[in-house]
């Protein structure tokens, strides 16, 4: 049985990055303050608030990723006719959907995850760096250096992954549209 695309996309593009982005910050809050986040007295509301904060953080990461994707669309317009092939792709209907459509859907889900993680991973790494400093303040410069290197490395990794996935999506969509007679 195939998992519905919307559930997969929501999980990979919003919930996972949102959890990654806020996890060390929540841990720092409960370890280094008296905050219980309401879990002791109001567990249902605390769980709802926690899930809501994950969704908001993830949605912010996804939204910033969408902005980045849009800028790539514009920069690749002359080379790959992104808009023309995008609208042709959206306006086609088939009795039996081409296999390539499912492939593009899977690639889009991967790209949305990569774009969201481009923003979520640095938040996690900085939060983990703060936790490390709070636990081992004597290693501040080492922790700071490691944090900077890991933030830069994670951003570079997710940027190039998403950038390459975006190009594959645009190229594949163009070729599919040409082969089925829309471009």
């Amino acid at each position: 049985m195939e998992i519905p695309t919307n559930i997969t996309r929501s999980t990979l593009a919003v919930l996972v990055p949102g959890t990654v982005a806020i996890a060390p910050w929540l841990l720092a809050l409960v370890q280094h303050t008296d905050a219980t986040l309401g879990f002791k007295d109001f567990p249902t509301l605390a769980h709802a608030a926690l899930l809501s904060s994950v969704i908001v953080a993830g949605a912010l990461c996804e939204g910033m990723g969408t902005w980045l994707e849009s800028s790539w669309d514009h920069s690749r317009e002359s080379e790959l006719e992104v808009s023309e092939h995008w609208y042709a792709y959206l306006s086609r209907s088939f009795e039996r959907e081409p296999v390539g459509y499912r492939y593009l859907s899977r690639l889009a889900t991967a790209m949305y995850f990569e774009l969201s993680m481009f923003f979520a991973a640095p938040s996690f790494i900085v939060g983990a760096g703060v936790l490390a400093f709070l636990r081992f303040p004597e290693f501040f410069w080492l922790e700071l250096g490691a944090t900077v290197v890991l933030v830069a490395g994670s951003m570079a990794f997710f940027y190039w992954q998403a950038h390459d996935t975006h190009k594959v999506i645009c190229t594949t969509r163009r070729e599919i549209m040409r082969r089925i007679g829309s471009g």
Side-chain angles (χ1 to χ4, degrees):
M1 184 171 128
E2 188 175 325
I3 297 175
T5 302
N6 290 341
I7 293 172
T8 304
R9 280 213 182 126
S10 297
T11 301
L12 289 176
V14 176
L15 296 179
V16 170
T19 302
V20 168
I22 70 168
W25 300 104
L26 289 174
L27 187 57
L29 184 65
V30 297
Q31 281 186 342
H32 299 282
T33 71
D34 292 333
T36 63
L37 304 178
F39 281 99
K40 182 179 176 185
D41 298 323
F42 308 101
T44 302
L45 289 176
H47 283 99
L50 181 61
L51 178 60
S52 297
S53 64
V54 164
I55 291 169
V56 168
L60 288 171
C61 291
E62 183 188 31
M64 291 183 292
T66 299
W67 172 81
L68 196 54
E69 176 193 8
S70 178
S71 72
W72 293 340
D73 285 347
H74 287 88
S75 70
R76 290 187 164 139
E77 184 61 41
S78 62
E79 173 193 2
L80 296 171
E81 303 171 82
V82 176
S83 293
E84 174 62 29
H85 295 296
W86 174 240
Y87 291 115
Y89 172 84
L90 290 176
S91 64
R92 293 298 299 244
S93 95
F94 299 95
E95 203 170 295
R96 287 185 35 191
E97 183 179 80
V99 172
Y101 274 44
R102 274 183 262 131
Y103 174 68
L104 285 172
S105 179
R106 188 191 65 72
L107 282 176
T109 299
M111 183 183 67
Y112 298 145
F113 172 75
E114 294 158 355
L115 286 168
S116 291
M117 288 302 293
F118 174 76
F119 296 99
S123 175
F124 178 86
I125 293 165
V126 170
V130 168
L131 282 170
F133 170 72
L134 291 171
R135 175 68 177 96
F136 304 105
E138 64 273 15
F139 297 111
F140 172 77
W141 292 110
L142 177 63
E143 294 157 351
L144 180 62
T147 299
V148 168
V149 167
L150 290 172
V151 164
S154 73
M155 290 182 81
F157 174 77
F158 285 114
Y159 180 90
W160 290 114
Q161 286 296 118
H163 191 261
D164 288 347
T165 304
H166 180 266
K167 185 166 187 176
V168 171
I169 289 170
C170 292
T171 304
T172 303
R173 188 171 48 230
R174 178 188 66 190
E175 293 306 315
I176 289 171
M177 292 295 93
R178 284 184 178 168
R179 282 165 174 72
I180 62 175
S182 294

